Amino acid sequence: MVRLEDILDKVAAYNPAADLEIIKKAYVFSAKVHHGQNRRSGEPYLTHPLEVASLLADLKMDISVIATGLLHDTIEDTHTTVEKIQELFGDEVAVLVDGLTKLSRLSFDKKQDREAENFRKMILAMSKDMRIVLIKLADRLHNMRTLDAMTPDKQCRIAKETLDIYAPLANRLGIGWIKTELEDLAFKYMEPEKYRWLEALVMKRKDEREVFIGKIKDSVTAKLSEENINCEVSGRVKHLYSIYSKMTSQGLEFDDIHDILAFRITVESLGECYGVGGLVHSMWKPVPGRFKDYIALPKNNGYQSLHTTVVGPGGDRMEFQIRSEQMHRVSEHGVASHWKYKDADAVGSRHDKSFGWLRQLIEWQRDVTDSYEFLETLKVDLFPEDVFIFTPQGEIKVFPVGATPVDLAYNIHTDVGNQCAGAKVNGRLVPLKQVLKNGDIVEVITSPLQMPGKDWLEFVVTSRARGRIRQWIKAEERGKSLELGRDICESGFKKYDLSFQHQFDAGLLVKVARDDLGFDDVDAMLIQVGYGKLSVRQILTKLLPEKKLAAKDAVKVSMFGKVFGRFKGGQRRSKDGVVIKGIEDVMVHFAKCCNPLPGDDIAGFITDGKGISVHHVTCRNILDIDSDRRIDVKWEKDSKVLRPVQIEVVCKDEKGLLVEMSSAIMAADANILSAQIKTTLDNRAACTFEVGVNSTDHLKSIIASLQKVKKVIRVERVRGFGTLGAGKRISRAK
């Protein structure tokens, strides 16, 4: 067990001027308030804050952080208040302790919502003070070291959470040793049998590998001494999770992995790194394509080093990492290595340019209300590898693996992203979903006519791009729904001899929206009408006497009887797959203006001599139809009636591609009813396929099958031009 004296010795070693009395005072207070509390392992609870403080001392953190490590659970697990911490230890420690307090006092509908909000709070806390997340990582590391006391299901849940969030976060912050240990511990509890099996295989040749590592270290040291280069050489077996990940991702057996040894050479200056790389290559043959220069192009977390893999004695591969002493400090401690514990304005160090990704993440989260959506995007942003691309002006941009030109466009500016109409990569036009590679020179092409599409969300990877696209789509949908809702209300009000504008000007609609229906304003109410979640009748019941509404309803029933002759109490099932409430033996036809498909939201209207006309609920052509003619319709459950739907595909104009697309449609269990092909001057083709579809899910599977065809640029359903927001053709697709 760590003792207070051990922590004090560590702090005094790297900060001789530190006021150790603050740490002693925090220890005494923590021991007092946690007295009588035990961990699940049976140990006194005080062992946990002592271990956390010790880990923070290993990171060479300042006095306030060490004290917070000792106090971090006092508010949550004891009767201590923030005010008490502030009174005894000052504002800085109080802010840190409060930032670490979990959301146990709040309630959420689902467990995942609570966990997602917890991570969101942690990220927000980082925007105030980066040290909060460093304490959180130390807390999680000690909890993982003592996870044996938990039940197997909790072990697995906490381990998965650690692997999904905390290990990648440690990596993003550049704290390599914490990242590595968290991964191995998570692996141990998530896959205990595989962990023990792999550990046994690695240990089997432990003595033999240690002898081999010793020989390689001696050889390198001797070679560099001949060149008068002072260095420190170390070697190790790669950690278990790293080996396991390689086996699973590449489908390898343990005996097929020939590069499980890694060596590090630390020299005094940056200039010596490249020279040492050349000397290593003179000793052993380098493996082509395995040299990486993270000195010229540092990782997003500030990591710098030369990486090279060589074929060593016996044919086994060995990885060498070559770095300066300063680079090594950054690789071990990451953001903590930038922390100036002697600097009163230490908080400012969180603005180091190496952590621009964090500022972007914090900026993006302000636009997101869904915490679970935030958590899912956070997972994407935390994963490690980076892609370096260049703008035409030679500026370097760093993105996660899988980034596309749209990610670059939103990185430049929101307006550039929203108007991103195309891109050139290395001088050649490419589709917007093109995955960028290291060294690509990317030029974004914009057009004021371009707008973001929902399909962009399927291929962008950065949180900024994803957030801005969602923001635009929500604003666009809100505007369309507001317009549609107002049109529906104006039409509905006329049927009851009411003027929508007069009701609005008189303030009556404001009263209905706020007092009766609980909306913030009239616009919010109209948007729900546009979405189909609120009916005009629900509004009218608040404005008109019941007698007047009942009189109109009687007229409507009379009309139904006149048109159809008879009513039944059940439902009418149609050979067209539509169920009409209360009416039998009625002819049904689908409106060509909007071409509704099983799974779409639909509305039915009585016509003169043609039975029931079925429209999409957003069809503009139903706005002016007398609401008295409206009737409830819905799709018959499990109906497999085929409906013709047009799908437009933009692709490269190449031989054989039409056959591939036809095969893709048939592979999705659909028949092609007709096809039209038009070619363009830029060597592209616009193909319109009419296919038989039985549901929206069936349509999605057809589109997904087409999207898998190489050299297909975009696939989209062609809606009728009567549908609100529809009618956009693919001829302007990129």
Side-chain angles (χ1 to χ4, degrees):
M1 180 180 120
V2 172
R3 301 174 305 159
L4 175 63
E5 289 74 16
D6 299 327
I7 298 172
L8 297 175
D9 289 344
K10 287 182 182 180
V11 175
Y14 65 79
N15 186 7
D19 183 1
L20 301 180
E21 292 302 317
I22 296 175
I23 298 177
K24 294 177 183 177
K25 184 178 178 181
Y27 168 77
V28 171
F29 183 83
S30 184
K32 179 181 177 181
V33 296
H34 286 301
H35 179 69
Q37 294 180 347
N38 291 320
R39 306 195 80 207
R40 288 182 182 271
S41 62
E43 297 176 299
Y45 194 87
L46 186 61
T47 59
H48 175 63
L50 277 169
E51 292 283 357
V52 171
S54 179
L55 288 168
L56 294 168
D58 290 336
L59 289 171
K60 298 181 171 57
M61 298 306 297
D62 60 76
I63 295 299
S64 295
V65 172
I66 307 296
T68 302
L70 291 165
L71 300 167
H72 73 278
D73 279 336
T74 54
I75 295 177
E76 181 188 356
D77 294 335
T78 75
H79 296 296
T80 305
T81 63
V82 176
E83 291 74 22
K84 187 66 175 178
I85 297 292
Q86 184 178 27
E87 176 189 341
L88 294 174
F89 301 98
D91 293 342
E92 187 176 6
V93 173
V95 168
L96 292 172
V97 174
D98 186 46
L100 285 156
T101 302
K102 298 175 183 176
L103 297 181
S104 55
R105 299 190 183 100
L106 300 181
S107 60
F108 297 91
D109 293 338
K110 299 177 182 177
K111 186 177 182 180
Q112 67 182 20
D113 292 338
R114 186 184 71 247
E115 292 172 350
E117 189 64 25
N118 220 359
F119 286 118
R120 183 170 187 157
K121 184 184 181 186
M122 182 174 68
I123 296 299
L124 287 171
M126 289 166 66
S127 69
K128 298 178 181 178
D129 198 322
M130 179 70 79
R131 294 173 294 179
I132 288 174
V133 78
L134 297 176
I135 304 168
K136 190 75 175 175
L137 284 173
D139 176 48
R140 175 53 60 111
L141 179 54
H142 183 247
N143 283 332
M144 287 298 296
R145 287 176 175 178
T146 56
L147 204 57
D148 281 335
M150 293 288 185
T151 59
D153 60 319
K154 285 189 177 180
Q155 288 175 348
C156 190
R157 178 183 61 79
I158 294 171
K160 186 179 186 306
E161 182 182 83
T162 299
L163 196 60
D164 284 349
I165 298 294
Y166 287 99
L169 184 57
N171 183 63
R172 266 297 199 172
L173 296 176
I175 312 173
W177 65 274
I178 290 184
K179 173 249 187 188
T180 297
E181 188 173 350
L182 286 176
E183 286 180 340
D184 276 355
L185 288 168
F187 175 35
K188 175 182 176 182
Y189 290 104
M190 289 180 67
E191 300 281 359
E193 292 184 4
K194 293 177 181 178
Y195 178 89
R196 289 192 293 268
W197 166 77
L198 188 56
E199 184 181 39
L201 288 176
V202 171
M203 294 296 292
K204 189 175 180 180
R205 297 176 57 191
K206 178 183 177 184
D207 294 341
E208 181 182 336
R209 288 196 185 94
E210 287 181 352
V211 171
F212 181 82
I213 289 172
K215 289 180 178 179
I216 297 298
K217 288 170 58 177
D218 292 342
S219 298
V220 172
T221 303
K223 183 69 173 178
L224 298 187
S225 295
E226 292 175 7
E227 303 296 329
N228 296 317
I229 297 176
N230 294 324
C231 67
E232 181 179 334
V233 184
S234 62
R236 60 175 175 83
V237 175
K238 292 182 178 179
H239 65 289
L240 294 181
Y241 182 73
S242 172
I243 298 172
Y244 175 72
S245 296
K246 187 168 186 177
M247 290 171 63
T248 53
S249 63
Q250 299 183 20
L252 300 175
E253 297 294 332
F254 179 75
D255 291 336
D256 296 328
I257 299 180
H258 302 293
D259 58 346
I260 68 171
L261 295 181
F263 293 87
R264 181 173 62 241
I265 304 174
T266 306
V267 295
E268 293 178 348
S269 66
L270 182 152
E272 292 175 324
C273 294
Y274 292 96
V276 169
L279 290 172
V280 170
H281 287 173
S282 71
M283 298 174 70
W284 298 287
K285 185 178 180 179
V287 177
R290 295 296 299 272
F291 180 82
K292 296 180 181 179
D293 187 349
Y294 292 118
I295 294 178
L297 295 172
K299 291 187 177 184
N300 260 356
N301 59 14
Y303 176 89
Q304 288 183 292
S305 192
L306 294 181
H307 286 200
T308 187
T309 301
V310 299
V311 180
D316 283 343
R317 295 184 178 189
M318 307 180 297
E319 182 184 72
F320 280 89
Q321 299 172 359
I322 305 164
R323 61 184 68 150
S324 69
E325 293 175 354
Q326 172 60 24
M327 294 173 197
H328 180 59
R329 284 194 292 273
V330 173
S331 73
E332 289 297 295
H333 300 306
V335 65
S337 68
H338 297 285
W339 214 263
K340 301 175 179 64
Y341 53 79
K342 296 179 182 179
D343 185 351
D345 190 26
V347 175
S349 66
R350 73 179 184 274
H351 294 297
D352 186 279
K353 64 181 180 181
S354 300
F355 301 96
W357 66 272
L358 175 60
R359 294 196 299 278
Q360 291 180 12
L361 184 63
I362 292 165
E363 175 188 344
W364 169 77
Q365 67 80 32
R366 296 190 183 105
D367 301 324
V368 181
T369 56
D370 186 334
S371 292
Y372 191 65
E373 176 188 326
F374 174 77
L375 177 59
E376 289 304 301
T377 306
L378 172 62
K379 290 180 182 179
V380 174
D381 270 9
L382 289 180
F383 280 100
E385 293 302 321
D386 298 317
V387 173
F388 299 90
I389 64 101
F390 296 86
T391 66
Q393 294 75 34
E395 183 183 358
I396 297 175
K397 298 281 187 177
V398 186
F399 292 98
V401 167
T404 65
V406 177
D407 291 293
L408 171 62
Y410 279 102
N411 177 270
I412 296 170
H413 194 276
T414 299
D415 290 340
V416 175
N418 288 342
Q419 297 179 7
C420 180
K424 287 184 178 181
V425 174
N426 304 323
R428 298 182 61 183
L429 282 170
V430 298
L432 293 179
K433 62 182 179 182
Q434 175 83 20
V435 174
L436 302 177
K437 301 187 296 293
N438 267 324
D440 281 345
I441 300 172
V442 186
E443 177 185 356
V444 175
I445 301 170
T446 60
S447 167
L449 300 177
Q450 178 64 38
M451 295 178 290
K454 284 185 178 180
D455 59 316
W456 289 11
L457 292 172
E458 297 175 6
F459 57 77
V460 296
V461 298
T462 58
S463 58
R464 180 180 179 85
R466 192 173 296 276
R468 293 295 183 265
I469 293 167
R470 283 198 175 109
Q471 193 176 45
W472 189 91
I473 290 171
K474 286 178 181 177
E476 187 76 1
E477 288 179 347
R478 176 184 169 89
K480 289 178 180 178
S481 295
L482 177 61
E483 177 188 352
L484 177 62
R486 185 181 182 93
D487 289 345
I488 291 173
C489 284
E490 287 179 344
S491 177
F493 277 36
K494 286 180 183 178
K495 308 305 182 286
Y496 290 86
D497 303 322
L498 286 180
S499 165
F500 176 87
Q501 190 61 46
H502 176 74
Q503 299 292 315
F504 181 84
D505 293 341
L508 297 175
L509 285 180
V510 174
K511 181 180 182 301
V512 170
R514 291 181 178 173
D515 299 343
D516 297 328
L517 298 177
F519 293 103
D520 291 336
D521 51 35
V522 175
D523 281 357
M525 179 178 70
L526 295 179
I527 287 169
Q528 294 305 305
V529 174
Y531 281 144
K533 296 180 180 179
L534 181 71
S535 69
V536 178
R537 184 177 177 82
Q538 286 175 279
I539 300 173
L540 289 171
T541 55
K542 309 298 181 183
L543 295 170
L544 288 176
E546 184 63 32
K547 288 184 179 180
K548 188 168 185 179
L549 288 171
K552 276 287 184 180
D553 291 341
V555 171
K556 185 174 181 179
V557 171
S558 174
M559 184 195 317
F560 283 170
K562 189 174 182 180
V563 173
F564 297 112
R566 60 179 179 176
F567 288 82
K568 300 288 183 181
Q571 292 181 331
R572 178 263 180 196
R573 292 185 177 273
S574 163
K575 64 180 181 179
D576 303 295
V578 173
V579 177
I580 303 172
K581 187 175 182 180
I583 306 175
E584 288 185 349
D585 301 328
V586 181
M587 181 173 62
V588 171
H589 74 275
F590 296 95
K592 293 181 179 179
C593 53
C594 55
N595 193 29
L597 182 67
D600 288 334
D601 293 328
I602 53 174
F605 290 88
I606 304 166
T607 65
D608 293 328
K610 293 183 180 179
I612 301 294
S613 176
V614 178
H615 293 253
H616 195 285
V617 291
T618 60
C619 182
R620 290 182 180 276
N621 293 337
I622 66 176
L623 296 180
D624 295 326
I625 297 178
D626 191 333
S627 62
D628 291 338
R629 291 182 175 272
R630 185 160 184 161
I631 190 167
D632 291 335
V633 295
K634 64 181 180 179
W635 295 106
E636 184 178 350
K637 188 176 181 182
D638 300 325
S639 171
K640 294 298 180 182
V641 174
L642 292 178
R643 295 277 303 133
V645 174
Q646 286 189 333
I647 300 174
E648 198 157 22
V649 184
V650 175
C651 62
K652 295 286 187 181
D653 183 12
E654 294 188 5
K655 291 181 180 179
L657 199 53
L658 180 59
V659 175
E660 290 186 48
M661 291 188 291
S662 300
S663 298
I665 293 172
M666 288 187 287
D669 196 25
N671 291 326
I672 300 174
L673 306 177
S674 66
Q676 292 182 344
I677 313 296
K678 292 182 181 180
T679 58
T680 60
L681 295 177
D682 59 351
N683 293 320
R684 296 188 180 189
C687 314
T688 302
F689 297 99
E690 186 174 56
V691 296
V693 176
N694 59 41
S695 67
T696 51
D697 288 339
H698 189 197
L699 176 62
K700 289 177 183 177
S701 71
I702 298 169
I703 291 175
S705 185
L706 283 166
Q707 288 173 332
K708 293 177 182 177
V709 177
K710 289 185 178 180
K711 299 185 180 177
V712 163
I713 298 168
R714 183 174 293 183
V715 186
E716 191 169 296
R717 173 185 177 183
V718 180
R719 288 187 179 275
F721 282 76
T723 307
L724 185 69
K728 296 175 184 175
R729 307 298 291 181
I730 303 303
S731 56
R732 66 177 183 84
K734 312 306 169 294

